Amino acid sequence: MRKNIPARKNVTSAKVSSTPKKEDRKKNLPSESWFQKLLPLLILLPVIFIAFFPSLNNDLTNWDDPSYLPENPLIRTLDGASIKRIFTENYFGNYQPLHILSYAIEYHFYGLNPKGYHTTSVIMFVMACALVYWFILLLSNNKIIAAITTSLYGLNAMRVESVAWAAERKDLMYLVFLVASLIAYLYYIRKDESYKYLLFSFLLFTLSIYSKVMAASIIGPMIMLDYYIGRKFSVKLVLEKVPYVLLSFYMGWKQVSAVKESGTIDTSNVFSFGEKILIACRNLIFYPIKLIAPVNLSAFYPYPPKTAQTSLPWEFYLCGVLVVILAVLLFMSAKKTKLFLFCGGFFVSTIALVLQLMPVGPTMFSERYSLVPGIAFAFLLASGIYYLIENKPDLKNLVYGVLGVYLCFLFYTTFQRCKVWNDSLTLWDNVLEQYPKVATALNNRGKHYGEHLQKYDEAMRDLTASIQADPNYELAYNNRGIVYSIRKQFDLAIKDFDQAIRLKPNYMEAIHNRAISLANSKQFDRAITDFTRIIRENPDKEESYVARGYTYLQVGKFNEGLQDLNRAIQLNPNDGNAYVNRSQAMYYLKRYKEALADVQMATSLGAQIDPNYRNQIEAAAK
C-alpha cells in the first residue's frame, strides 16, 4: 500500500509571502535566543569593516569635501550660536542640519584630520548593516535570509561612494535613521499596532530627513510593508502616515529653496520630457545590473552627447521597453507571491526621485542613490538563494559554493574600490580612464595638479581640456584663471575670471580671485569694488576683509585698511597674515608699538615675516 508522502514546505513562499493574522504576529517574531539571532552579525560585521578598511587611510578629495570641511564656517565652533545657524541657514545648496552638525562635532575632536571622518563613516556604515540585518530578520523571520541579504548589501562596491566620500556623510546618517524607522514601523505592525512604536518610527524618520531630504521616500517602503504583511486598507492606514507626508513636504520645500539660492542643474534645454523618461528607464535598469556586477564603477557618469539634431542611443529605448515588461511581470507575480512586487515597489519608490526625470545633479547616474533601494534588491536575491537551498537539495552545495565565490568577489571589488577614493588624483584618473571628456573630472584633476602638486603645466592642460569639453563650465575658467594668476599672467587671469562671472553672475569665488588679480595688476579701485561686493554678500568672511584692507593700504587709505583688518582679526584671531597686514597699517599711522605687537603675534601664529621689515618695525618702536 502506498504511503502518503508529506508535502515539502516551500519555506520562502510560505513564510515570506504569508499574511499573518493580527493575533499571530507576535508568534512570528524570532524565538531564538539573542545570541543565536545575532551570531551571523558577529561574523559579518568585522568582514564588512575590513572590506572598507582602506578608506581609513584616504585623504579628502576636492569634490565637495572642501566646502563641507576646510571651508565650512558653520563647523568651526560648537556653541549655541553656531548650532542655531546650522538649523536656520541653508548651506552649499542644501538644508541638511544634522549632516552639518555631525561635521561640527567631529571638527571639535578631529580638526581636519581625514582619518577621523573616514573612521566615523565606516563605523556608521557597519551600524547600518547591523540594522539592515535586524530589519530583514523581522521581515522574513529567517536569519539565513537576513545574513545573506546583509552580506550582499554590505559588501557591495556600490556602497563605497557613500562610505569613502567624506562629503556624503548625509547618506549614512539618513540610512541609519531610515532603516531604524522602518524597524520601529515593523514593530508597530507586529506588536498589535501599539502607537509608541509608531511614535518612535516618526522620531527616527525626523532625524533621517533632517540628515538628507531623500528620506521622504520612506512612504513607499511603509506602504509596501503594509501590503507585504497583509494589512487591510483603511482610513487609519492613511492617517498614520500623514505626519510623515507633511514633514516630507516641509523639508522638500526647504530643499527647493536652498537649491534656488545656489542654482541647479538644468538639462531641459537639451533633453525633452520624453527623453528624460527614457533616461529614467535606463537608470532603473542600470542600477540592478551594477548591483549584481559592481565593476567599472565611476564617481561620475556623464549624460550621453545630445544636440537638437541627435537622439538618445538605442539602449535607452530598449530600457524603456524592458521597464514596461518588468512592470507587467511584477504585477502578474502578485498572484503567486508578494515577494517580487514588494521588493520592486520598495526599490522603485526609494529611487524614483533620483532617476533624473527631474535632474538633481551633473551626473546621469550616481552609485550612492542605490544605498536604500539596494536593501530591497539584496533581500530579493537572498530570498531566491534561500529558496534554491531549501527546495533544491541536489543544488545546495553548489549554491553555497557559488555564493561563497560571489561574496569573495564582492569583498575584493569593495576593498579595491576604496583605494580609488584615496585622493583627488586617483579618483579623477579613474573617471577619466572611462570617460576622457568629462569636464568636471578634467577640472577637478587640473585643480588638484595646481593646488596640491604645483604641477601648473598639467593643471593648465586639464583645465583647458575641461573648457573645450564644456565651454559654459564656469569652474574651469575660474581655476584656469588661478593658474594664470600664479604665473603672473594677470591679464589672461582677469579674462578667465570675467568669463566665469558672465556665466555665473553671483560666483563669489571668481569675483574674489578677479579682485586679487586686479590688485596685483595695480587696478586697485576695481579690486576694492569687487572686494566690497563680496563683503556685502558675505559679511563674515575674514579673507575678504584681509584682502580689501591690504588693498586700501596700497592706495594710502590707512584708516579704512585698519578698520578692515580689525574686523578680519575679530572674525578669525588665528590668521597670522591679518596681523602682518595690520602691523603695516599701524606703522603707516605711526602707532609703532602696536605694529611691533602685531608682528610678534603674527610670528607666534607661524606667519612668515621679512627680517628687514621686522628690524624696521623694532627700530621705529624704540
Side-chain angles (χ1 to χ4, degrees):
M1 181 175 178
R2 185 178 178 182
K3 294 182 179 180
N4 292 328
I5 301 175
R8 185 190 302 274
K9 292 184 179 180
N10 187 328
V11 178
T12 302
S13 304
K15 291 191 176 180
V16 173
S17 304
S18 61
T19 307
K21 294 181 181 180
K22 188 173 181 180
E23 59 269 21
D24 292 334
R25 288 173 188 159
K26 189 176 295 186
K27 297 178 183 178
N28 287 340
L29 289 173
S31 58
E32 297 175 295
S33 68
W34 277 104
F35 179 77
Q36 291 173 313
K37 294 173 186 175
L38 298 179
L39 181 60
L41 280 181
L42 299 179
I43 301 170
L44 286 174
L45 297 186
V47 174
I48 293 171
F49 181 87
I50 294 170
F52 287 89
F53 185 81
S55 67
L56 300 184
N57 296 317
N58 289 355
D59 201 350
L60 301 177
T61 71
N62 62 4
W63 197 18
D64 292 353
D65 287 350
S67 296
Y68 279 117
L69 291 169
E71 301 168 7
N72 190 347
L74 299 179
I75 69 171
R76 292 177 182 170
T77 56
L78 191 59
D79 54 26
S82 296
I83 294 173
K84 180 180 178 181
R85 288 187 63 192
I86 288 171
F87 278 87
T88 56
E89 296 181 12
N90 300 323
Y91 183 74
F92 201 50
N94 289 295
Y95 180 69
Q96 299 162 343
L98 288 183
H99 175 215
I100 302 300
L101 181 61
S102 74
Y103 290 141
I105 294 171
E106 288 176 281
Y107 184 84
H108 180 74
F109 292 101
Y110 308 143
L112 292 175
N113 183 358
K115 196 177 195 70
Y117 297 92
H118 290 312
T119 301
T120 300
S121 292
V122 174
I123 291 173
M124 193 172 290
F125 181 66
V126 170
M127 291 171 53
C129 289
L131 290 171
V132 167
Y133 176 87
W134 187 242
F135 173 65
I136 299 301
L137 183 63
L138 287 174
L139 188 62
S140 66
N141 197 22
N142 188 310
K143 69 180 181 182
I144 297 178
I145 292 178
I148 296 174
T149 300
T150 307
S151 301
L152 295 173
Y153 177 81
L155 292 175
N156 199 299
M158 290 280 279
R159 308 283 86 82
V160 171
E161 183 170 274
S162 296
V163 180
W165 187 6
E168 282 305 310
R169 170 65 53 72
K170 53 185 175 285
D171 277 3
L172 300 174
M173 294 183 66
Y174 112 88
L175 170 67
V176 166
F177 293 128
L178 186 139
V179 177
S181 177
L182 290 176
I183 289 172
Y185 186 70
L186 259 180
Y187 271 105
Y188 165 68
I189 295 172
R190 303 281 193 184
K191 297 280 189 177
D192 298 323
E193 298 183 1
S194 172
Y195 283 108
K196 69 178 182 180
Y197 292 108
L198 188 62
L199 177 61
F200 290 153
S201 174
F202 180 73
L203 292 176
L204 289 164
F205 165 70
T206 301
L207 295 174
S208 182
I209 203 167
Y210 268 77
S211 301
K212 187 175 183 179
V213 74
M214 271 292 294
S217 63
I218 196 176
I219 306 301
M222 292 174 72
I223 293 172
M224 297 316 298
L225 284 171
D226 292 337
Y227 160 75
Y228 195 62
I229 299 300
R231 299 181 74 197
K232 293 181 179 180
F233 180 78
S234 65
V235 174
K236 177 185 177 182
L237 215 66
V238 176
L239 291 179
E240 67 192 16
K241 297 174 181 64
V242 169
Y244 296 83
V245 174
L246 292 178
L247 182 56
S248 295
F249 273 113
Y250 170 73
M251 291 298 291
W253 170 76
K254 292 283 289 182
Q255 180 62 22
V256 169
S257 300
V259 169
K260 285 182 178 179
E261 284 184 8
S262 63
T264 185
I265 303 300
D266 183 13
T267 60
S268 59
N269 61 331
V270 178
F271 297 104
S272 67
F273 181 71
E275 288 170 332
K276 289 178 182 177
I277 292 176
L278 292 177
I279 290 171
C281 290
R282 191 264 188 185
N283 283 341
L284 198 54
I285 297 296
F286 202 53
Y287 277 108
I289 292 173
K290 283 293 187 183
L291 285 168
I292 293 173
V295 295
N296 297 325
L297 300 181
S298 173
F300 197 104
Y301 295 83
Y303 283 90
K306 179 69 172 64
T307 66
Q309 290 75 36
T310 61
S311 59
L312 291 170
W314 63 269
E315 66 181 80
F316 288 79
Y317 295 90
L318 175 61
C319 288
V321 175
L322 289 176
V323 166
V324 173
I325 294 173
L326 287 173
V328 172
L329 291 175
L330 278 178
F331 282 103
M332 289 176 62
S333 71
K335 296 178 181 179
K336 294 186 177 294
T337 176
K338 293 182 177 181
L339 178 66
F340 292 104
L341 187 55
F342 166 75
C343 292
F346 190 118
F347 187 94
V348 173
S349 64
T350 52
I351 207 168
L353 293 175
V354 289
L355 290 174
Q356 303 304 334
L357 187 60
M358 295 178 61
V360 293
T363 63
M364 183 180 68
F365 175 97
S366 296
E367 294 156 17
R368 62 187 179 276
Y369 295 151
S370 70
L371 195 63
V372 172
I375 298 172
F377 191 74
F379 175 52
L380 178 62
L381 293 180
S383 298
I385 292 168
Y386 185 74
Y387 174 83
L388 292 176
I389 292 171
E390 286 295 303
N391 293 278
K392 306 292 182 181
D394 294 341
L395 298 177
K396 184 175 181 179
N397 291 335
L398 176 63
V399 171
Y400 272 125
V402 172
L403 177 61
V405 172
Y406 180 60
L407 290 177
C408 289
F409 160 75
L410 291 181
F411 178 93
Y412 175 79
T413 54
T414 297
F415 193 87
Q416 295 300 319
R417 184 67 189 166
C418 288
K419 298 177 183 178
V420 171
W421 285 84
N422 180 257
D423 58 32
S424 300
L425 189 59
T426 57
L427 179 65
W428 300 118
D429 277 348
N430 178 261
V431 173
L432 292 167
E433 286 173 5
Q434 301 174 75
Y435 306 103
K437 295 184 179 181
V438 172
T440 299
L442 288 164
N443 170 74
N444 289 358
R445 188 174 70 175
K447 183 178 181 180
H448 182 76
Y449 274 133
E451 187 174 30
H452 292 279
L453 303 178
Q454 287 77 51
K455 295 183 177 181
Y456 300 116
D457 289 340
E458 289 87 343
M460 185 63 70
R461 178 200 64 202
D462 275 355
L463 295 169
T464 300
S466 177
I467 291 169
Q468 290 170 347
D470 182 1
N472 295 318
Y473 192 30
E474 72 279 359
L475 297 182
Y477 285 104
N478 176 65
N479 289 328
R480 191 173 70 172
I482 293 173
V483 177
Y484 278 133
S485 182
I486 291 171
R487 290 177 163 180
K488 302 191 183 304
Q489 296 173 280
F490 298 117
D491 290 343
L492 292 174
I494 293 168
K495 183 179 178 181
D496 269 356
F497 295 137
D498 284 343
Q499 180 62 15
I501 296 164
R502 273 193 292 270
L503 292 168
K504 185 178 179 180
N506 291 322
Y507 192 1
M508 290 298 141
E509 183 182 343
I511 295 170
H512 178 88
N513 291 333
R514 182 176 68 179
I516 293 174
S517 289
L518 288 168
N520 283 321
S521 59
K522 310 300 182 185
Q523 301 179 58
F524 298 118
D525 290 340
R526 287 186 62 194
I528 289 171
T529 299
D530 274 352
F531 286 131
T532 300
R533 178 183 174 185
I534 296 166
I535 289 170
R536 186 167 56 246
E537 293 288 335
N538 189 353
D540 296 327
K541 193 171 182 179
E542 83 274 0
E543 295 94 334
S544 300
Y545 288 101
V546 173
R548 189 176 70 171
Y550 180 79
T551 307
Y552 273 136
L553 299 184
Q554 305 311 303
V555 296
K557 296 184 177 181
F558 306 128
N559 286 311
E560 290 87 341
L562 178 60
Q563 185 177 352
D564 272 356
L565 294 164
N566 282 337
R567 176 59 177 157
I569 291 170
Q570 182 183 9
L571 290 169
N572 184 8
N574 298 317
D575 187 347
N577 289 327
Y579 287 99
V580 173
N581 291 340
R582 192 172 71 171
S583 72
Q584 295 181 35
M586 295 293 189
Y587 179 80
Y588 291 136
L589 292 170
K590 299 183 179 180
R591 296 162 62 174
Y592 302 123
K593 290 185 178 180
E594 291 170 275
L596 179 58
D598 276 350
V599 167
Q600 293 169 341
M601 177 60 77
T603 302
S604 69
L605 292 172
Q608 298 296 317
I609 305 292
D610 186 328
N612 293 329
Y613 175 69
R614 185 185 185 96
N615 293 336
Q616 182 181 352
I617 295 294
E618 289 175 344
K622 289 182 179 178

